[in-house]
Amino acid sequence: MTEEEAKKALFDLNYEYMSHSPKERLILYDDYRKKRAEIRNALKDFVCGKVESEKKL
């Protein structure tokens, strides 16, 4: 997952989550956090890999 894809996925996930009512959000919260953490970890891995490859140059 590239940086732009991760950012778009986070935006889309947040937009979809916030489109629900507050009561529905309580039900969906655990799943939302899990998906958000997965995307953030993928973004972190991409950025760390990018920084490491730049250091080698």
Side-chain angles (χ1 to χ4, degrees):
M1 181 177 286
T2 66
E3 188 173 2
E4 291 300 319
E5 290 172 339
K7 287 180 181 181
K8 184 176 181 342
L10 283 171
F11 178 82
D12 292 341
L13 178 65
N14 188 57
Y15 184 80
E16 189 271 329
Y17 175 72
M18 294 304 288
S19 67
H20 294 284
S21 70
K23 288 183 181 180
E24 290 173 325
R25 278 187 247 153
L26 288 174
I27 296 168
L28 298 172
Y29 185 68
D30 291 332
D31 189 44
Y32 165 75
R33 285 193 55 196
K34 181 181 174 186
K35 288 179 183 176
R36 186 172 177 259
E38 290 172 4
I39 295 168
R40 287 175 53 99
N41 284 335
L43 177 60
K44 178 187 61 105
D45 293 341
F46 176 79
V47 171
C48 288
K50 185 177 172 183
V51 169
E52 287 180 12
S53 67
E54 289 176 356
K55 283 183 180 179
K56 290 180 182 178
L57 296 175

